[in-house]
Structure formats: C-alpha cells, structure tokens
Amino acid sequence: MAERIKISLCYASGPNPLLRAMEVDAGTTIGQAIEQSGMLQDAPEINLVTMPVGIYGKKKTLDTVLQARDRVEIYRPLIVDPKNARRRRAKKDSAGES
C-alpha cells in the first residue's frame, strides 16, 4: 500500500475561497492533486494553462511533487498592477495634504 500524505488546496475566488484538505499518495504532483480535489468542477473559471500555482506563496510548476503538509495555491490573475495602485494611492495622499 502506498504511503499517503496530507495536503491542503486553496483558491481564493472572491468572498468565498475554496479550501480542501485531502490525503494523496506520496509522489502526487500539484496538477494531479488539483484534478483529484474536484476544484476544477467547483470553479470552472480555473485554467491551469494560464493561472499560476504555488506552495506557500512560492510559484511552482504543475509537475512539482508534493510533500506532507504542503498547501497548494491556485493564483488568480491580478486585476490591478500593484505598483500602479500604490502610485495612485501615494498621489491621492499627497494631493490631500496640500
């Protein structure tokens, strides 16, 4: 019998993030775990070709082999470039001080 490891998966799709705790066989990849989790059926907007994935905030590829207690994250595309958002806030703050 293959060794099993516990992992979690998350996808923050807005106000109701999808979270899954599951056990997979040792040697399972990120892509396999996502497919086994059922998230692709629950959130059809997930596109593993265009959306990056990672483990604990570090980008990884779909063929990365999981370790016990890994948290797999599926990242949404950014709506606003963080640098531009920061510049707008700084400009707004400096205009209010004048």
Coordinates of all heavy atoms in Angstrom, one line a residue:
M1 N 0.8 -1.2 0.0 CA 0.0 0.0 0.0 C 0.9 1.2 0.0 O 1.8 1.3 0.8 CB -0.9 0.0 1.2 CG -1.9 1.1 1.3 SD -3.0 0.7 2.7 CE -4.1 2.1 2.5
A2 N 0.5 2.2 -0.9 CA 1.3 3.4 -1.0 C 1.2 4.3 0.2 O 0.1 4.4 0.8 CB 0.9 4.2 -2.2
E3 N 2.3 5.0 0.6 CA 2.2 5.9 1.7 C 1.3 7.1 1.3 O 1.3 7.5 0.1 CB 3.6 6.5 2.0 CG 3.7 7.5 3.1 CD 5.0 8.1 3.3 OE1 6.0 7.7 2.6 OE2 5.1 9.1 4.1
R4 N 0.5 7.6 2.2 CA -0.4 8.7 2.0 C 0.1 9.9 2.8 O 0.7 9.8 3.8 CB -1.8 8.4 2.5 CG -2.4 7.1 1.9 CD -3.0 7.2 0.6 NE -4.2 8.0 0.6 CZ -4.9 8.5 -0.4 NH1 -4.4 8.2 -1.6 NH2 -6.0 9.2 -0.3
I5 N 0.0 11.1 2.2 CA 0.4 12.4 2.8 C -0.8 13.3 2.8 O -1.7 13.3 2.0 CB 1.6 13.0 2.1 CG1 1.2 13.3 0.6 CG2 2.8 12.2 2.2 CD1 2.3 14.2 -0.1
K6 N -0.9 14.2 3.9 CA -1.9 15.1 4.0 C -1.5 16.5 3.4 O -0.4 16.9 3.6 CB -2.3 15.4 5.4 CG -3.0 14.2 6.1 CD -3.3 14.4 7.5 CE -4.0 13.2 8.1 NZ -4.5 13.4 9.4
I7 N -2.4 17.0 2.6 CA -2.1 18.3 1.9 C -3.4 19.2 2.0 O -4.4 18.7 2.4 CB -1.7 18.2 0.5 CG1 -2.8 17.6 -0.4 CG2 -0.4 17.4 0.3 CD1 -2.7 17.9 -1.9
S8 N -3.2 20.4 1.6 CA -4.4 21.3 1.5 C -4.3 22.1 0.2 O -3.2 22.3 -0.3 CB -4.6 22.2 2.7 OG -3.5 23.1 2.8
L9 N -5.5 22.4 -0.3 CA -5.5 23.2 -1.6 C -6.4 24.4 -1.3 O -7.4 24.3 -0.6 CB -6.1 22.4 -2.7 CG -5.3 21.2 -3.2 CD1 -5.8 19.9 -2.6 CD2 -5.4 21.1 -4.7
C10 N -6.0 25.5 -1.9 CA -6.9 26.7 -1.8 C -6.9 27.5 -3.1 O -5.9 27.6 -3.9 CB -6.5 27.6 -0.6 SG -4.9 28.3 -0.8
Y11 N -8.1 28.1 -3.3 CA -8.3 29.0 -4.5 C -9.2 30.1 -4.0 O -10.3 29.9 -3.6 CB -8.9 28.3 -5.6 CG -9.3 29.2 -6.8 CD1 -8.4 29.9 -7.5 CD2 -10.7 29.3 -7.1 CE1 -8.8 30.8 -8.5 CE2 -11.1 30.1 -8.2 CZ -10.1 30.9 -8.8 OH -10.5 31.7 -9.9
A12 N -8.6 31.3 -3.9 CA -9.4 32.5 -3.4 C -10.1 33.1 -4.6 O -9.6 33.9 -5.3 CB -8.5 33.5 -2.8
S13 N -11.4 32.7 -4.8 CA -12.1 33.2 -5.9 C -13.0 34.4 -5.6 O -13.9 34.7 -6.4 CB -13.0 32.0 -6.4 OG -13.9 31.6 -5.4
G14 N -12.8 35.0 -4.5 CA -13.6 36.2 -4.1 C -13.9 36.0 -2.7 O -13.1 35.6 -1.9
P15 N -15.2 36.4 -2.3 CA -15.5 36.4 -0.9 C -15.6 35.0 -0.3 O -15.5 34.8 0.9 CB -16.9 37.0 -0.9 CG -17.4 36.9 -2.3 CD -16.2 36.8 -3.2
N16 N -15.7 33.9 -1.1 CA -15.8 32.6 -0.6 C -14.7 31.7 -1.2 O -14.9 31.0 -2.2 CB -17.2 32.0 -1.0 CG -18.3 32.7 -0.4 OD1 -18.3 33.1 0.7 ND2 -19.4 33.0 -1.2
P17 N -13.6 31.7 -0.5 CA -12.5 30.9 -1.0 C -12.8 29.4 -1.0 O -13.5 28.9 -0.1 CB -11.3 31.2 -0.1 CG -11.9 31.8 1.1 CD -13.2 32.4 0.7
L18 N -12.2 28.6 -1.9 CA -12.4 27.2 -1.9 C -11.2 26.6 -1.2 O -10.0 26.9 -1.5 CB -12.4 26.6 -3.3 CG -13.6 27.0 -4.2 CD1 -13.3 26.4 -5.6 CD2 -14.8 26.4 -3.6
L19 N -11.4 25.8 -0.1 CA -10.4 25.2 0.6 C -10.7 23.7 0.7 O -11.8 23.3 0.9 CB -10.3 25.8 2.1 CG -10.1 27.3 2.2 CD1 -10.4 27.7 3.6 CD2 -8.7 27.6 1.7
R20 N -9.6 22.9 0.5 CA -9.8 21.5 0.6 C -8.6 20.9 1.4 O -7.5 21.2 1.1 CB -9.7 20.8 -0.8 CG -10.8 21.2 -1.8 CD -12.1 20.4 -1.6 NE -13.1 20.5 -2.5 CZ -13.6 21.5 -3.2 NH1 -13.1 22.6 -3.0 NH2 -14.6 21.4 -4.0
A21 N -8.9 20.0 2.3 CA -7.9 19.2 3.0 C -8.1 17.8 2.4 O -9.2 17.3 2.3 CB -8.1 19.2 4.5
M22 N -7.0 17.2 2.0 CA -7.1 15.9 1.5 C -5.8 15.0 1.7 O -4.8 15.6 2.1 CB -7.4 15.9 0.0 CG -6.5 16.7 -0.9 SD -7.0 17.0 -2.6 CE -6.9 15.4 -3.3
E23 N -5.9 13.8 1.5 CA -4.8 12.8 1.5 C -4.6 12.3 0.1 O -5.5 12.0 -0.6 CB -5.1 11.7 2.5 CG -5.0 12.0 3.9 CD -5.0 10.7 4.8 OE1 -4.8 9.6 4.3 OE2 -5.2 10.9 6.0
V24 N -3.3 12.3 -0.3 CA -2.9 11.8 -1.6 C -1.8 10.9 -1.4 O -1.1 10.8 -0.4 CB -2.5 13.0 -2.5 CG1 -3.7 13.9 -2.8 CG2 -1.3 13.8 -2.0
D25 N -1.5 10.1 -2.5 CA -0.4 9.2 -2.4 C 0.9 10.0 -2.5 O 1.0 11.0 -3.2 CB -0.4 8.2 -3.7 CG -1.6 7.2 -3.6 OD1 -2.0 6.9 -2.5 OD2 -2.0 6.8 -4.6
A26 N 1.9 9.5 -1.8 CA 3.2 10.1 -1.9 C 3.6 10.0 -3.4 O 3.4 9.0 -4.0 CB 4.2 9.3 -1.0
G27 N 4.2 11.1 -3.9 CA 4.6 11.2 -5.3 C 3.6 11.9 -6.1 O 3.9 12.1 -7.3
T28 N 2.5 12.3 -5.6 CA 1.5 13.0 -6.3 C 2.0 14.4 -6.7 O 2.6 15.1 -5.8 CB 0.2 13.1 -5.5 OG1 -0.3 11.8 -5.3 CG2 -0.9 13.9 -6.2
T29 N 1.7 14.9 -7.9 CA 2.1 16.2 -8.3 C 1.0 17.2 -8.0 O -0.1 16.9 -7.7 CB 2.4 16.2 -9.8 OG1 1.2 16.0 -10.5 CG2 3.5 15.2 -10.2
I30 N 1.4 18.5 -8.1 CA 0.4 19.6 -7.9 C -0.8 19.4 -8.9 O -2.0 19.5 -8.5 CB 1.0 20.9 -8.1 CG1 2.0 21.2 -6.9 CG2 0.0 22.0 -8.2 CD1 2.8 22.5 -7.1
G31 N -0.5 19.2 -10.1 CA -1.6 19.0 -11.1 C -2.5 17.9 -10.8 O -3.7 18.0 -10.9
Q32 N -1.9 16.7 -10.4 CA -2.7 15.6 -10.1 C -3.6 15.8 -8.9 O -4.8 15.5 -8.8 CB -1.8 14.4 -9.8 CG -1.1 13.8 -11.0 CD 0.0 12.8 -10.7 OE1 0.5 12.9 -9.6 NE2 0.3 12.0 -11.6
A33 N -3.1 16.5 -7.9 CA -3.8 16.8 -6.6 C -5.0 17.8 -7.0 O -6.1 17.6 -6.5 CB -2.9 17.5 -5.6
I34 N -4.8 18.8 -7.8 CA -5.9 19.7 -8.2 C -7.0 18.9 -8.9 O -8.2 19.1 -8.6 CB -5.3 20.8 -9.0 CG1 -4.4 21.7 -8.2 CG2 -6.5 21.7 -9.6 CD1 -3.6 22.8 -9.0
E35 N -6.6 18.0 -9.8 CA -7.6 17.2 -10.5 C -8.4 16.3 -9.6 O -9.6 16.3 -9.7 CB -6.9 16.4 -11.6 CG -6.5 17.2 -12.8 CD -5.8 16.4 -13.9 OE1 -5.9 15.2 -13.9 OE2 -5.1 17.0 -14.7
Q36 N -7.7 15.7 -8.6 CA -8.3 14.8 -7.7 C -9.2 15.5 -6.7 O -10.2 15.0 -6.2 CB -7.3 14.0 -6.9 CG -6.5 13.0 -7.7 CD -5.3 12.4 -6.9 OE1 -5.3 12.4 -5.7 NE2 -4.3 11.9 -7.6
S37 N -9.0 16.8 -6.5 CA -9.7 17.6 -5.5 C -11.1 17.9 -5.9 O -11.9 18.2 -5.0 CB -9.0 18.9 -5.1 OG -9.1 19.8 -6.2
G38 N -11.4 18.0 -7.2 CA -12.7 18.4 -7.6 C -12.8 19.9 -7.8 O -13.9 20.4 -8.1
M39 N -11.8 20.6 -7.5 CA -11.9 22.1 -7.6 C -12.2 22.6 -9.0 O -12.8 23.6 -9.2 CB -10.6 22.7 -7.2 CG -10.5 22.9 -5.7 SD -9.1 24.0 -5.3 CE -9.4 24.2 -3.6
L40 N -11.7 21.8 -10.0 CA -11.9 22.2 -11.4 C -13.4 22.2 -11.8 O -13.8 22.9 -12.6 CB -11.1 21.4 -12.4 CG -9.5 21.5 -12.2 CD1 -8.8 20.5 -13.1 CD2 -9.1 22.9 -12.4
Q41 N -14.1 21.3 -11.1 CA -15.5 21.2 -11.4 C -16.3 22.3 -10.6 O -17.3 22.8 -11.0 CB -16.1 19.8 -11.0 CG -15.7 18.7 -11.9 CD -14.2 18.3 -11.7 OE1 -13.7 18.3 -10.6 NE2 -13.6 17.8 -12.8
D42 N -15.8 22.5 -9.3 CA -16.5 23.5 -8.5 C -16.2 25.0 -8.9 O -17.0 25.9 -8.6 CB -16.0 23.4 -7.0 CG -16.5 22.0 -6.4 OD1 -17.4 21.4 -7.0 OD2 -15.9 21.6 -5.4
A43 N -15.1 25.2 -9.6 CA -14.7 26.6 -10.0 C -14.2 26.4 -11.5 O -13.0 26.4 -11.7 CB -13.6 27.1 -9.1
P44 N -15.2 26.4 -12.4 CA -14.8 26.2 -13.8 C -14.0 27.3 -14.4 O -13.4 27.1 -15.5 CB -16.2 26.1 -14.5 CG -17.2 26.5 -13.6 CD -16.6 26.5 -12.2
E45 N -13.9 28.5 -13.7 CA -13.0 29.5 -14.2 C -11.5 29.3 -14.0 O -10.7 29.9 -14.6 CB -13.4 30.9 -13.5 CG -13.0 31.0 -12.1 CD -14.0 30.4 -11.1 OE1 -14.9 29.7 -11.5 OE2 -13.9 30.7 -9.9
I46 N -11.2 28.2 -13.3 CA -9.8 27.9 -13.1 C -9.2 27.3 -14.4 O -9.8 26.4 -15.0 CB -9.6 26.8 -12.0 CG1 -10.0 27.4 -10.6 CG2 -8.2 26.3 -11.9 CD1 -10.0 26.4 -9.5
N47 N -8.2 27.9 -14.9 CA -7.5 27.5 -16.1 C -6.0 27.2 -15.7 O -5.3 28.2 -15.6 CB -7.6 28.5 -17.2 CG -7.0 28.1 -18.5 OD1 -6.2 27.2 -18.5 ND2 -7.4 28.8 -19.5
L48 N -5.7 26.0 -15.6 CA -4.3 25.6 -15.2 C -3.3 25.9 -16.2 O -2.1 25.9 -15.9 CB -4.2 24.2 -14.8 CG -5.1 23.8 -13.5 CD1 -4.9 22.3 -13.2 CD2 -4.7 24.6 -12.3
V49 N -3.7 26.3 -17.5 CA -2.7 26.6 -18.5 C -2.3 28.1 -18.3 O -1.1 28.4 -18.5 CB -3.4 26.5 -19.9 CG1 -2.4 27.0 -21.0 CG2 -3.7 25.0 -20.2
T50 N -3.2 29.0 -17.9 CA -2.9 30.4 -17.7 C -2.7 30.9 -16.3 O -2.1 31.9 -16.1 CB -4.0 31.2 -18.4 OG1 -5.2 31.0 -17.7 CG2 -4.1 30.9 -19.9
M51 N -3.2 30.1 -15.3 CA -3.2 30.5 -13.9 C -2.0 29.9 -13.2 O -1.9 28.6 -13.2 CB -4.5 30.2 -13.2 CG -5.7 31.0 -13.8 SD -7.2 30.4 -13.2 CE -7.4 31.5 -11.7
P52 N -1.1 30.7 -12.6 CA 0.0 30.0 -11.9 C -0.5 29.3 -10.6 O -1.5 29.6 -10.1 CB 0.9 31.2 -11.6 CG 0.0 32.4 -11.7 CD -1.1 32.1 -12.6
V53 N 0.3 28.4 -10.2 CA 0.1 27.7 -8.9 C 1.4 27.8 -8.1 O 2.4 28.1 -8.6 CB -0.2 26.2 -9.2 CG1 -1.5 26.1 -10.0 CG2 0.9 25.5 -9.9
G54 N 1.2 27.5 -6.8 CA 2.4 27.5 -5.9 C 2.1 26.8 -4.6 O 1.0 26.2 -4.4
I55 N 3.1 26.7 -3.8 CA 3.1 26.1 -2.5 C 3.6 27.2 -1.5 O 4.7 27.7 -1.6 CB 4.0 24.9 -2.4 CG1 3.4 23.8 -3.4 CG2 4.0 24.3 -1.0 CD1 4.3 22.6 -3.5
Y56 N 2.7 27.6 -0.6 CA 3.0 28.6 0.5 C 3.6 29.9 -0.2 O 4.6 30.4 0.3 CB 4.0 28.0 1.5 CG 3.3 27.0 2.4 CD1 3.7 25.7 2.4 CD2 2.3 27.4 3.3 CE1 3.1 24.8 3.2 CE2 1.7 26.4 4.1 CZ 2.1 25.1 4.1 OH 1.5 24.2 4.9
G57 N 2.9 30.3 -1.2 CA 3.3 31.6 -1.8 C 4.5 31.6 -2.7 O 4.9 32.6 -3.2
K58 N 5.1 30.4 -3.0 CA 6.2 30.3 -4.0 C 5.7 29.6 -5.2 O 5.2 28.5 -5.1 CB 7.3 29.6 -3.3 CG 7.9 30.3 -2.1 CD 9.2 29.6 -1.7 CE 9.6 30.2 -0.3 NZ 10.5 31.2 -0.4
K59 N 5.8 30.3 -6.4 CA 5.3 29.7 -7.6 C 6.0 28.4 -7.9 O 7.3 28.2 -7.7 CB 5.5 30.6 -8.8 CG 4.6 31.8 -8.8 CD 4.7 32.6 -10.1 CE 3.7 33.7 -10.1 NZ 3.8 34.5 -11.3
K60 N 5.2 27.4 -8.3 CA 5.7 26.1 -8.7 C 5.1 25.6 -10.0 O 4.1 26.2 -10.5 CB 5.4 25.0 -7.6 CG 5.9 25.4 -6.2 CD 7.4 25.2 -6.1 CE 7.9 25.5 -4.7 NZ 9.3 25.4 -4.6
T61 N 5.6 24.6 -10.6 CA 5.0 24.0 -11.8 C 4.0 22.9 -11.4 O 4.1 22.3 -10.3 CB 6.1 23.5 -12.8 OG1 6.8 22.4 -12.1 CG2 7.1 24.6 -13.2
L62 N 3.2 22.6 -12.4 CA 2.2 21.5 -12.1 C 2.8 20.2 -11.9 O 2.2 19.3 -11.3 CB 1.2 21.4 -13.3 CG 0.3 22.7 -13.4 CD1 -0.5 22.6 -14.7 CD2 -0.7 22.8 -12.2
D63 N 4.0 20.0 -12.3 CA 4.7 18.6 -12.2 C 5.5 18.6 -10.9 O 6.2 17.6 -10.7 CB 5.5 18.3 -13.4 CG 6.6 19.2 -13.7 OD1 6.7 20.3 -13.0 OD2 7.4 18.9 -14.6
T64 N 5.4 19.6 -10.0 CA 6.1 19.5 -8.7 C 5.5 18.5 -7.8 O 4.3 18.4 -7.7 CB 6.0 20.9 -8.0 OG1 6.6 21.9 -8.9 CG2 6.7 20.9 -6.7
V65 N 6.3 17.6 -7.3 CA 5.9 16.6 -6.4 C 5.6 17.2 -5.0 O 6.4 17.9 -4.5 CB 6.9 15.4 -6.3 CG1 6.5 14.4 -5.3 CG2 7.1 14.8 -7.7
L66 N 4.5 16.8 -4.4 CA 4.0 17.3 -3.2 C 4.7 16.6 -2.0 O 5.1 15.5 -2.1 CB 2.5 17.2 -3.0 CG 1.7 18.0 -4.0 CD1 0.3 17.6 -4.0 CD2 1.9 19.5 -3.7
Q67 N 4.9 17.4 -0.9 CA 5.4 16.9 0.4 C 4.3 17.0 1.4 O 3.3 17.7 1.2 CB 6.6 17.7 0.8 CG 7.7 17.9 -0.2 CD 8.4 16.5 -0.5 OE1 8.6 15.8 0.5 NE2 8.6 16.3 -1.7
A68 N 4.4 16.2 2.5 CA 3.4 16.2 3.5 C 3.2 17.7 4.0 O 4.2 18.4 4.2 CB 3.8 15.3 4.7
R69 N 2.0 18.0 4.3 CA 1.5 19.3 4.8 C 1.7 20.5 3.9 O 1.7 21.7 4.3 CB 2.2 19.6 6.2 CG 1.8 18.6 7.2 CD 2.5 18.9 8.6 NE 3.9 18.8 8.6 CZ 4.7 17.7 8.6 NH1 4.1 16.5 8.5 NH2 6.0 17.8 8.6
D70 N 2.0 20.2 2.6 CA 2.0 21.3 1.6 C 0.6 22.0 1.5 O -0.4 21.3 1.5 CB 2.5 20.9 0.2 CG 4.0 20.7 0.1 OD1 4.7 21.2 1.0 OD2 4.4 20.1 -0.9
R71 N 0.6 23.3 1.2 CA -0.6 24.0 0.9 C -0.5 24.5 -0.6 O 0.3 25.4 -0.9 CB -0.9 25.2 1.8 CG -2.2 25.9 1.4 CD -2.5 27.1 2.3 NE -1.5 28.2 1.9 CZ -1.0 29.0 2.7 NH1 -1.2 29.0 4.0 NH2 -0.1 29.9 2.3
V72 N -1.3 23.8 -1.5 CA -1.2 24.2 -2.9 C -2.2 25.4 -3.1 O -3.3 25.4 -2.6 CB -1.7 23.0 -3.7 CG1 -1.8 23.4 -5.2 CG2 -0.8 21.8 -3.5
E73 N -1.7 26.4 -3.8 CA -2.5 27.6 -4.0 C -2.6 27.8 -5.5 O -1.6 27.6 -6.3 CB -1.8 28.8 -3.4 CG -1.5 28.6 -1.9 CD -0.5 29.5 -1.3 OE1 0.4 30.0 -2.1 OE2 -0.5 29.7 -0.1
I74 N -3.8 28.1 -5.9 CA -4.1 28.5 -7.3 C -4.3 30.0 -7.4 O -5.1 30.5 -6.7 CB -5.3 27.8 -7.9 CG1 -5.2 26.2 -7.7 CG2 -5.5 28.1 -9.3 CD1 -6.4 25.5 -8.0
Y75 N -3.4 30.7 -8.1 CA -3.4 32.2 -8.1 C -4.3 32.7 -9.2 O -4.2 32.3 -10.4 CB -2.0 32.7 -8.2 CG -1.1 32.1 -7.2 CD1 0.0 31.4 -7.5 CD2 -1.3 32.4 -5.8 CE1 0.9 30.9 -6.6 CE2 -0.5 31.9 -4.9 CZ 0.6 31.1 -5.2 OH 1.4 30.6 -4.3
R76 N -5.1 33.7 -8.9 CA -5.9 34.4 -9.9 C -5.1 35.5 -10.5 O -4.1 36.0 -9.9 CB -7.1 35.1 -9.2 CG -8.1 34.2 -8.6 CD -9.3 35.0 -8.0 NE -8.7 35.8 -6.8 CZ -9.2 37.0 -6.5 NH1 -10.2 37.5 -7.1 NH2 -8.7 37.6 -5.5
P77 N -5.5 35.9 -11.8 CA -4.7 37.0 -12.4 C -5.0 38.3 -11.6 O -6.1 38.4 -11.0 CB -5.3 37.1 -13.8 CG -6.3 36.0 -13.9 CD -6.5 35.3 -12.6
L78 N -4.0 39.1 -11.6 CA -4.2 40.4 -10.9 C -5.1 41.3 -11.7 O -5.0 41.4 -12.9 CB -2.8 41.1 -10.7 CG -1.8 40.4 -9.8 CD1 -0.5 41.2 -9.8 CD2 -2.3 40.3 -8.4
I79 N -6.0 42.0 -11.0 CA -6.9 42.9 -11.6 C -6.2 44.3 -11.9 O -6.4 44.9 -12.9 CB -8.2 43.1 -10.8 CG1 -8.9 41.8 -10.7 CG2 -9.1 44.2 -11.3 CD1 -10.0 41.8 -9.7
V80 N -5.4 44.7 -10.9 CA -4.7 45.9 -11.0 C -3.2 45.7 -10.7 O -2.9 44.9 -9.8 CB -5.2 47.0 -9.9 CG1 -4.4 48.2 -9.9 CG2 -6.7 47.2 -10.2
D81 N -2.3 46.3 -11.4 CA -0.9 46.2 -11.2 C -0.6 46.8 -9.8 O -0.9 48.0 -9.6 CB -0.1 46.9 -12.3 CG 1.4 46.8 -12.1 OD1 1.8 46.2 -11.1 OD2 2.1 47.4 -12.9
P82 N 0.0 46.1 -8.9 CA 0.3 46.6 -7.5 C 1.1 47.9 -7.5 O 0.8 48.8 -6.7 CB 1.0 45.5 -6.8 CG 0.7 44.3 -7.6 CD 0.4 44.7 -9.0
K83 N 2.0 48.0 -8.4 CA 2.8 49.2 -8.5 C 2.0 50.4 -8.9 O 2.1 51.5 -8.3 CB 4.0 49.1 -9.5 CG 5.1 48.2 -9.0 CD 6.2 48.1 -10.0 CE 7.3 47.1 -9.5 NZ 8.4 47.1 -10.5
N84 N 1.1 50.3 -9.9 CA 0.2 51.4 -10.3 C -0.7 51.7 -9.2 O -1.0 52.9 -9.0 CB -0.5 51.0 -11.6 CG 0.4 51.0 -12.8 OD1 1.4 51.6 -12.8 ND2 0.0 50.3 -13.8
A85 N -1.3 50.7 -8.5 CA -2.2 51.0 -7.4 C -1.5 51.8 -6.3 O -2.1 52.8 -5.7 CB -2.8 49.7 -6.8
R86 N -0.3 51.5 -6.0 CA 0.5 52.2 -4.9 C 0.8 53.6 -5.4 O 0.6 54.6 -4.6 CB 1.8 51.5 -4.6 CG 2.6 52.1 -3.5 CD 3.8 51.2 -3.1 NE 4.5 51.8 -2.1 CZ 5.5 52.6 -2.2 NH1 6.0 52.9 -3.4 NH2 6.1 53.1 -1.1
R87 N 1.1 53.8 -6.6 CA 1.4 55.2 -7.1 C 0.1 56.0 -7.0 O 0.2 57.2 -6.6 CB 1.8 55.1 -8.6 CG 3.3 54.7 -8.7 CD 3.7 54.8 -10.2 NE 5.0 54.1 -10.4 CZ 5.2 53.0 -11.1 NH1 4.2 52.5 -11.8 NH2 6.3 52.4 -11.1
R88 N -1.1 55.5 -7.4 CA -2.3 56.2 -7.3 C -2.6 56.6 -5.9 O -3.0 57.7 -5.6 CB -3.5 55.4 -7.9 CG -3.5 55.4 -9.4 CD -4.9 55.0 -9.9 NE -5.2 53.7 -9.5 CZ -5.0 52.6 -10.2 NH1 -4.5 52.6 -11.4 NH2 -5.4 51.4 -9.7
R89 N -2.4 55.6 -4.9 CA -2.7 56.0 -3.5 C -1.7 57.1 -3.0 O -2.1 58.0 -2.3 CB -2.5 54.7 -2.7 CG -3.7 53.8 -2.7 CD -3.6 52.7 -1.6 NE -2.4 52.0 -1.6 CZ -2.1 50.9 -2.2 NH1 -2.9 50.3 -3.1 NH2 -0.9 50.3 -2.1
A90 N -0.5 57.0 -3.4 CA 0.5 58.0 -3.0 C 0.2 59.3 -3.5 O 0.2 60.4 -2.8 CB 1.9 57.6 -3.4
K91 N -0.3 59.4 -4.8 CA -0.6 60.6 -5.4 C -1.9 61.2 -4.8 O -1.9 62.4 -4.5 CB -0.9 60.4 -6.9 CG -1.1 61.6 -7.7 CD -1.2 61.3 -9.2 CE -1.4 62.5 -10.0 NZ -1.5 62.2 -11.5
K92 N -2.8 60.4 -4.4 CA -4.1 60.8 -3.8 C -3.7 61.3 -2.4 O -4.2 62.4 -2.0 CB -5.0 59.6 -3.7 CG -6.3 59.9 -3.0 CD -7.2 58.7 -3.0 CE -8.4 58.9 -2.1 NZ -9.2 57.7 -1.9
D93 N -2.9 60.6 -1.6 CA -2.5 61.1 -0.3 C -1.8 62.4 -0.3 O -2.0 63.3 0.5 CB -1.6 60.0 0.4 CG -2.4 58.8 0.8 OD1 -3.6 58.8 0.8 OD2 -1.7 57.7 1.1
S94 N -0.9 62.6 -1.3 CA -0.1 63.9 -1.4 C -1.0 65.0 -1.8 O -0.8 66.1 -1.4 CB 1.1 63.7 -2.3 OG 0.7 63.5 -3.6
A95 N -2.0 64.7 -2.6 CA -3.0 65.8 -3.0 C -3.8 66.2 -1.9 O -4.2 67.4 -1.8 CB -3.8 65.3 -4.2
G96 N -4.1 65.3 -1.0 CA -5.0 65.6 0.2 C -4.2 66.5 1.2 O -4.8 67.2 2.0
E97 N -2.9 66.4 1.3 CA -2.1 67.1 2.2 C -1.8 68.5 1.8 O -1.5 69.4 2.6 CB -0.7 66.4 2.4 CG -0.9 65.0 3.1 CD 0.4 64.3 3.1 OE1 1.5 64.9 2.8 OE2 0.4 63.1 3.5
S98 N -2.0 68.9 0.6 CA -1.7 70.2 0.1 C -2.7 71.2 0.5 O -3.8 71.0 0.8 CB -1.6 70.2 -1.4 OG -0.6 69.4 -1.9

